[in-house]
Amino acid sequence: AAAFEHRSSRADDPQLHTHVVIANLLQGPDGRWGAIDSAALYRHQLTAGYIYQAVLRGELTNRLGVEWTDVRRGLAEIRDVPKGLCREFSQRRQAIEARLAELGESGMDAARKACLDTRPPKQHTPEATQRDRWHARAIDAGFNPADLRLTGTAEAPSLEEEQLIGDLVGPEGLTAKRSTFDPRDVLRGVCEALPGGSHVDLTRLLDLGRAVVRHPETVALLRSQAPGERSYSTADMLAAEQQALELVAASRDQGLAVVPEHVIDAVLVRDAISDEQRDLVRRLVTSGAGVDVVVGPAGTGKTRALRAAREAWEATGHTVIGASLAAVAARELQNGSGIPATSLTRFLGGLQRDGLPKRSVIVVDEASMIATRQHLELMQAAARMTRNVFS
């Protein structure tokens, strides 16, 4: 592999980064030539970026004394850089935003396309000339480089290993939004949990990752996978999953939110829906279980069936409320079914503050994308509402 260090973006903004080129054709120990497993390299690409950024932050703090903002998705900013200055030296971002506005599009795929549409050709500029131009641009934008005090005497923060590892295996760590994790997740978690500017290298990061995997609270899952692909969870997460299963089992035969047949018939007469959707509505409003699951691909009419189920529940005095992981999906649920819905974060915040209204039915859209701990929180709130001892 060969590493090429670049100090600017294609738009001639300061952007320190490194390209690593890896030969795709290798000669093995048996003397034969063949292509490397690029799929395996691709799986590690994101983690490699987290490691690169963590080591870079440590080096910059060690050499220049800079401080850092909080790490998000592996990235952090040098503290105290004026926002206006950042904007001035973010020409690529401005070009992409302008292209998206011109097209009237948004989202990751649209941004990726806009990035390619607006990408200028590469140019080589001597470093001294580049620095002079950046200096002049900053002054023209109203920022005198002589007034900026970005470097200082900050030292690498102390690294409390036991605390860091304990946080990662705790409820707010690696299993806060997922049930399992693999070694790549562990390394990314370590890089994000490190105090900004910690002086680390790959060996130190790998040692911290191994300590997380070997922690008494970490549980190796029994799967037929290669060692590097092994999945893990935590004792706390497994206990949460068990509690959720127990709540489901305990509420299975409680006769909750059951709608009489004559009400169902009246609702279904008004709605032009398929026989399959009618069967779904009947099962939902007559099962009486504390938790029901609807499984079906997009476009099969789940939302339309939920509209009829909502009408049946509301006709018998129930309050139907909805939630989805994203606010956009919540709006789609509300528009399609008439169920008042919001993002799951806002929904759970309201739960903690106000609890649930009596005789509530909660509809969770795209439930398979929601973390186990959030599911458990919803189930516990429903259990409290029905005054069951299993809460």
Side-chain angles (χ1 to χ4, degrees):
F4 299 88
E5 183 181 273
H6 292 184
R7 294 179 175 270
S8 63
S9 71
R10 286 173 178 260
D12 197 33
D13 289 327
Q15 187 187 63
L16 178 63
H17 62 284
T18 304
H19 294 276
V20 178
V21 180
I22 303 174
N24 188 46
L25 195 65
L26 300 174
Q27 187 177 29
D30 58 358
R32 299 173 61 184
W33 288 84
I36 62 173
D37 183 359
S38 57
L41 287 177
Y42 183 80
R43 287 195 296 273
H44 291 279
Q45 181 181 18
L46 180 62
T47 308
Y50 275 61
I51 292 170
Y52 176 94
Q53 294 292 336
V55 174
L56 178 61
R57 286 192 292 272
E59 290 291 342
L60 288 174
T61 296
N62 183 50
R63 299 185 190 188
L64 302 178
V66 297
E67 298 183 54
W68 299 92
T69 61
D70 293 338
V71 181
R72 290 188 177 89
R73 297 182 180 178
L75 299 171
E77 301 287 346
I78 295 176
R79 193 178 295 280
D80 297 330
V81 178
K83 290 184 178 180
L85 189 62
C86 286
R87 185 70 179 172
E88 167 62 29
F89 286 97
S90 299
Q91 294 181 99
R92 284 292 291 127
R93 181 183 182 117
Q94 293 181 48
I96 293 168
E97 290 175 345
R99 179 60 174 165
L100 288 172
E102 178 186 340
L103 297 174
E105 297 178 354
S106 61
M108 187 176 297
D109 290 339
R112 189 179 293 114
K113 183 177 183 303
C115 178
L116 294 174
D117 290 346
T118 59
R119 186 168 63 176
K122 289 184 177 180
Q123 297 180 354
H124 176 70
T125 306
E127 184 177 336
T129 304
Q130 214 168 34
R131 289 179 181 274
D132 290 340
R133 276 212 309 273
W134 290 342
H135 190 280
R137 278 177 58 190
I139 291 177
D140 289 343
F143 300 95
N144 187 350
D147 296 333
L148 297 175
R149 295 289 182 267
L150 302 181
T151 59
T153 58
E155 298 180 355
S158 60
L159 177 55
E160 302 292 339
E161 289 191 19
E162 288 188 12
Q163 181 68 45
L164 182 146
I165 295 166
D167 289 344
L168 287 175
V169 300
E172 300 300 318
L174 293 168
T175 60
K177 296 183 179 179
R178 61 167 71 92
S179 298
T180 65
F181 52 88
D182 61 27
R184 295 185 296 274
D185 297 319
V186 172
L187 277 173
R188 293 197 293 268
V190 167
C191 291
E192 290 213 289
L194 287 170
S198 298
H199 198 205
V200 293
D201 56 17
L202 177 60
T203 300
R204 184 77 184 280
L205 294 173
L206 290 173
D207 286 344
L208 289 169
R210 292 188 190 98
V212 171
V213 168
R214 294 168 182 170
H215 192 276
E217 287 295 305
T218 301
V219 179
L221 303 180
L222 299 177
R223 294 184 180 176
S224 55
Q225 295 172 319
E229 300 298 318
R230 190 97 187 243
S231 292
Y232 302 86
S233 189
T234 65
D236 177 79
M237 171 52 69
L238 296 179
E241 289 182 341
Q242 183 62 35
Q243 188 177 1
L245 291 172
E246 290 171 356
L247 287 172
V248 172
S251 67
R252 186 170 295 157
D253 302 315
Q254 290 202 320
L256 301 172
V258 174
V259 177
E261 283 294 330
H262 71 276
V263 176
I264 302 172
D265 292 339
V267 168
L268 293 180
V269 165
R270 296 196 304 269
D271 285 295
I273 58 178
S274 67
D275 291 341
E276 187 178 25
Q277 290 168 328
R278 289 171 182 271
D279 291 340
L280 171 58
V281 173
R282 287 188 181 277
R283 290 183 61 183
L284 282 176
V285 302
T286 62
S287 78
V291 178
D292 273 311
V293 179
V294 177
V295 180
T300 54
K302 297 187 298 296
T303 303
R304 193 167 185 176
L306 284 172
R307 174 180 287 276
R310 172 189 61 79
E311 293 175 359
W313 278 316
E314 288 181 345
T316 51
H318 291 87
T319 300
V320 186
I321 48 181
S324 188
L325 189 61
V328 172
R331 284 196 295 272
E332 292 176 357
L333 172 64
Q334 180 166 321
N335 293 337
S337 67
I339 298 172
T342 185
S343 70
L344 186 65
T345 300
R346 179 171 292 183
F347 188 91
L348 291 175
L351 266 184
Q352 295 166 359
R353 183 179 62 253
D354 307 320
L356 284 170
K358 291 182 178 180
R359 296 172 62 80
S360 292
V361 176
I362 308 170
V363 175
V364 182
D365 192 29
E366 298 181 345
S368 61
M369 299 175 63
I370 294 172
T372 299
R373 297 186 192 280
Q374 293 173 316
H375 276 300
L376 179 58
E377 189 173 347
L378 288 170
M379 292 179 193
Q380 289 171 331
R384 288 191 295 271
M385 181 182 69
T386 54
R387 298 181 181 179
N388 288 308
V389 295
F390 57 80
S391 66

